[in-house]
Amino acid sequence: MTDIFFTDPQNPIVPSSAIISESDAFQVQWGAVNRSDVGVEPFTDRLVITSIPEGCPGSDDADHPVVFDETFDEPALAPGDSGPLQKPTVGPFAAGSYRLTVTLANDTGAGDETFNCITIDPAN
């Protein structure tokens, strides 16, 4: 059962910049909220960035190279509470398309998962 959701369902995962070039590091930002009626213990989110050679959004039927895979700790959350804004710095990555996939509460299986596909431009 999913108890942990993205704070902003319209824009759940966003890069810190609208235009990113292959020479840029950038932040991937998301937030979690406990929408259950009970508190949750501290949990861990997982950010996986995959290269999408065929372009965005890519296919779930294909294996894509993972270029970043890391977990991030979240605090315990009371019912209705939001966690802190997560904003790890990643990159730079070569020009191309990438999926930024975040699994909330990856360690408990009680969290939502979604992705945002971005394009990284060649450096000028």
Side-chain angles (χ1 to χ4, degrees):
M1 177 178 192
T2 303
D3 295 325
I4 308 298
F5 292 89
F6 289 95
T7 305
D8 182 352
Q10 299 300 317
N11 297 295
I13 306 165
V14 294
S16 56
S17 178
I19 299 173
I20 302 167
S21 79
E22 64 185 347
S23 60
D24 297 334
F26 60 97
Q27 291 180 328
V28 178
Q29 302 173 348
W30 72 90
V33 62
N34 177 5
R35 293 217 179 122
S36 73
D37 57 0
V38 297
V40 295
E41 295 298 315
F43 56 92
T44 303
D45 297 339
R46 182 177 180 200
L47 169 62
V48 177
I49 301 176
T50 51
S51 175
I52 309 295
E54 69 272 22
C56 286
S59 170
D60 290 333
D61 297 332
D63 286 332
H64 297 104
V66 173
V67 297
F68 184 91
D69 186 347
E70 197 166 320
T71 58
F72 301 90
D73 294 333
E74 293 269 14
L77 298 176
D81 277 358
S82 295
L85 178 66
Q86 296 287 355
K87 50 185 180 183
T89 300
V90 300
F93 301 117
S97 297
Y98 294 86
R99 269 191 187 189
L100 313 174
T101 303
V102 173
T103 306
L104 301 175
N106 182 71
D107 57 335
T108 68
D112 199 8
E113 177 181 282
T114 194
F115 72 90
N116 184 4
C117 201
I118 65 167
T119 300
I120 296 179
D121 297 326
N124 290 336

